[in-house]
Amino acid sequence: MLWIMRFSGFFTAAMLMIILSPSLQSNPPAEAIRSTHLVKHLRLHRPDSLNRFSFRRAPAFPNADECGSVHSKISVCDPNLVHVAITLDVEYLRGSIAAVHSILRHSLCPESIFFHFLVSETSLETLVRSTFPLLKFKVYYFDPEIVRGLISTSVRQALEQPLNYARNYLADLLEPCVGRVIYLDSDLIVVDNIFKLWNTSLGSRTIGAPEYCHANFTKYFTGRFWSDRRFTATFDYRKPCYFNTGVMVIDLDRWRRVGYTEQIEKWMEIQKSHRIYELGSLPPFLLVFAGHVAPIEHRWNQHGLGGDNVKGSCRDLHPGPVSLLHWSGSGKPWLRLDSNQPCELDEQWARYDLHGHTE
């Protein structure tokens, strides 16, 4: 039986219910589909930076009876799959593994989830396979050179990493048969059945995300942007609201038809010459999509738990129910836990942390 973790009001008054995974069953291992593009570009070897990582093997997470059976060698094009895209890199690897673990643990039909991992590092596929032997996934190589010339300096160096921009190219990287995907950042955990998020209606919109229309939207762009009518005209005839790009449901079919990747790249080129924003990969998404986003319940992105982009101080949850906790900001739970200076909510993330030697 599944229980949903909920928080109401301030954290000190919160009540928590941990979701129990479905009863374990024996299933044959699913075949990992290797990206030919990845094999072409990478010679798999273990760099020194990966030697410090050791993850415990996750338990099996079978489908509940009502989900039906899933073939062990299912195709990525199977229409019954839920598609989730996450980046994998050395600095955030521990977070990505915890995110996948949380999704599987709380899903009613975990065997029906297909993960698309975007990488610019080597040897990560082997590590994922050893941690999640039954996981259905594919690894996609994202060439940093695609965006290196488009990236400008940001308020935080981590926001300048090329892999942060891989989300702009999901429609090109993933198979044409994948028409919808959930994109998730690496610094979050899901504490609800992800199928609920997958089934969100986008209507005529290309992306869906929790919107925050009371946020000060002007702060995401520079004075130079707001003083130039050539730029501000992009928001004519729409009411733009801030949304966080770390949790998005994306209609890839519509994205491909319209050509949104090229639109995002155009704004990145303008940024290089006019300095119209300060925050890395977020502002181009706001410029293209703000005001044209299918709203999703705020419970699906309780963001900001990593504090701001400078101090990374502790923060409480926003009032209301919670389906996803997101440590956006500079403070990451695994770093604070390792330094013995955790915030109260970091203990919730630790429930899904598989880092450590095999017992």
Side-chain angles (χ1 to χ4, degrees), residues 6 192 196-197 200 209-212 247 294-302 321 323:
R6 294 176 179 269
D192 202 345
K196 298 177 183 177
L197 181 60
T200 298
E211 290 185 296
Y212 304 88
V247 179
I296 292 176
E297 289 183 272
H298 288 179
R299 66 188 300 153
W300 284 105
N301 194 353
Q302 283 269 355
S323 294

Coordinates of all heavy atoms in Angstrom, one line a residue, residues 6 192 196-197 200 209-212 247 294-302 321 323:
R6 N 3.5 14.0 3.0 CA 2.9 15.3 3.0 C 3.5 16.2 4.1 O 3.7 15.8 5.2 CB 1.4 15.3 3.1 CG 0.7 14.5 2.0 CD -0.8 14.4 2.3 NE -1.5 13.8 1.2 CZ -2.0 14.4 0.2 NH1 -1.9 15.7 0.1 NH2 -2.7 13.7 -0.8
D192 N 6.3 10.9 -4.3 CA 4.9 10.6 -4.7 C 5.0 9.8 -6.0 O 6.1 9.6 -6.5 CB 4.1 11.9 -5.0 CG 2.6 11.8 -4.9 OD1 2.2 10.6 -5.0 OD2 1.9 12.8 -4.9
K196 N 1.6 10.4 -11.6 CA 0.6 11.5 -11.5 C 1.2 12.7 -12.3 O 0.4 13.5 -12.9 CB 0.4 11.9 -10.0 CG -0.2 10.8 -9.2 CD -0.3 11.2 -7.7 CE -0.8 10.1 -6.8 NZ -0.8 10.5 -5.4
L197 N 2.5 13.0 -12.2 CA 3.1 14.1 -12.9 C 3.1 13.8 -14.4 O 2.8 14.7 -15.2 CB 4.5 14.3 -12.4 CG 5.3 15.4 -13.0 CD1 4.7 16.7 -12.8 CD2 6.8 15.4 -12.5
T200 N -0.1 14.7 -16.3 CA -0.5 16.1 -16.4 C -0.9 16.5 -17.8 O -0.3 16.2 -18.8 CB 0.6 17.0 -15.9 OG1 1.0 16.7 -14.6 CG2 0.3 18.5 -16.0
A209 N 4.9 23.2 -15.9 CA 5.7 23.3 -14.7 C 5.0 24.1 -13.7 O 4.0 24.9 -14.0 CB 7.0 24.1 -15.1
P210 N 5.3 24.0 -12.4 CA 4.7 24.9 -11.4 C 5.1 26.3 -11.7 O 6.3 26.6 -11.8 CB 5.3 24.4 -10.1 CG 5.7 23.0 -10.3 CD 6.1 23.0 -11.8
E211 N 4.1 27.3 -11.7 CA 4.4 28.7 -11.9 C 4.3 29.4 -10.6 O 3.6 29.1 -9.7 CB 3.4 29.3 -12.9 CG 3.6 28.8 -14.3 CD 2.7 29.5 -15.3 OE1 1.4 29.3 -15.1 OE2 3.1 30.2 -16.2
Y212 N 5.1 30.5 -10.6 CA 5.1 31.4 -9.4 C 4.9 32.8 -9.8 O 5.9 33.6 -10.0 CB 6.4 31.2 -8.6 CG 6.6 29.7 -8.2 CD1 7.3 28.9 -9.1 CD2 6.1 29.2 -7.0 CE1 7.4 27.5 -8.8 CE2 6.3 27.9 -6.7 CZ 6.9 27.0 -7.6 OH 7.1 25.7 -7.3
V247 N 12.1 21.0 -13.0 CA 11.0 20.1 -13.0 C 10.1 20.5 -14.2 O 9.4 21.5 -14.0 CB 10.2 20.0 -11.7 CG1 9.0 19.0 -11.9 CG2 11.1 19.6 -10.6
A294 N 1.9 25.4 -19.2 CA 0.7 24.7 -18.5 C 1.0 24.6 -17.0 O 2.0 24.0 -16.7 CB 0.6 23.3 -19.1
P295 N 0.2 25.1 -16.2 CA 0.5 25.2 -14.8 C 0.3 23.8 -14.1 O -0.6 23.1 -14.4 CB -0.5 26.1 -14.2 CG -1.7 26.1 -15.2 CD -1.1 25.9 -16.5
I296 N 1.3 23.4 -13.3 CA 1.3 22.2 -12.5 C 1.3 22.5 -11.1 O 1.8 23.6 -10.6 CB 2.5 21.3 -12.9 CG1 2.4 20.8 -14.3 CG2 2.7 20.1 -11.9 CD1 3.7 20.1 -14.8
E297 N 0.6 21.7 -10.3 CA 0.6 22.0 -8.8 C 1.9 22.2 -8.2 O 2.9 21.5 -8.5 CB -0.1 20.8 -8.1 CG -1.6 20.6 -8.4 CD -2.1 19.4 -7.5 OE1 -2.1 18.3 -8.0 OE2 -2.6 19.7 -6.4
H298 N 2.0 23.2 -7.3 CA 3.2 23.5 -6.7 C 3.8 22.4 -5.9 O 5.1 22.4 -5.6 CB 3.0 24.7 -5.7 CG 2.8 26.0 -6.5 ND1 2.6 27.2 -5.8 CD2 2.8 26.3 -7.8 CE1 2.4 28.2 -6.7 NE2 2.5 27.6 -7.9
R299 N 3.0 21.4 -5.5 CA 3.5 20.3 -4.7 C 4.6 19.5 -5.5 O 5.4 18.8 -4.9 CB 2.4 19.3 -4.4 CG 1.8 18.6 -5.6 CD 0.5 17.9 -5.3 NE 0.8 16.8 -4.3 CZ -0.1 16.3 -3.5 NH1 -1.3 16.8 -3.5 NH2 0.2 15.4 -2.7
W300 N 4.6 19.7 -6.8 CA 5.6 19.0 -7.7 C 6.9 19.7 -7.8 O 7.8 19.3 -8.6 CB 5.0 18.7 -9.0 CG 4.0 17.5 -8.9 CD1 2.7 17.6 -9.0 CD2 4.4 16.1 -8.8 NE1 2.1 16.3 -8.8 CE2 3.1 15.4 -8.7 CE3 5.6 15.4 -8.6 CZ2 3.1 14.0 -8.5 CZ3 5.5 14.1 -8.5 CH2 4.3 13.4 -8.4
N301 N 7.1 20.8 -7.1 CA 8.4 21.4 -7.1 C 8.5 22.3 -5.9 O 8.4 23.6 -6.0 CB 8.7 22.2 -8.4 CG 10.2 22.6 -8.5 OD1 11.0 22.3 -7.6 ND2 10.6 23.1 -9.6
Q302 N 8.7 21.7 -4.7 CA 9.0 22.5 -3.5 C 10.5 22.9 -3.6 O 11.4 22.2 -3.0 CB 8.7 21.7 -2.3 CG 7.2 21.6 -2.0 CD 6.8 22.7 -1.0 OE1 7.6 23.5 -0.5 NE2 5.5 22.8 -0.8
P321 N 0.9 20.6 0.5 CA 1.4 19.3 0.3 C 2.6 19.2 -0.5 O 2.9 20.1 -1.3 CB 0.2 18.6 -0.4 CG -0.5 19.7 -1.1 CD -0.4 20.9 -0.2
S323 N 5.0 16.7 -3.1 CA 5.3 15.5 -3.9 C 6.7 15.4 -4.4 O 7.2 14.4 -4.8 CB 4.4 15.5 -5.1 OG 3.0 15.3 -4.7

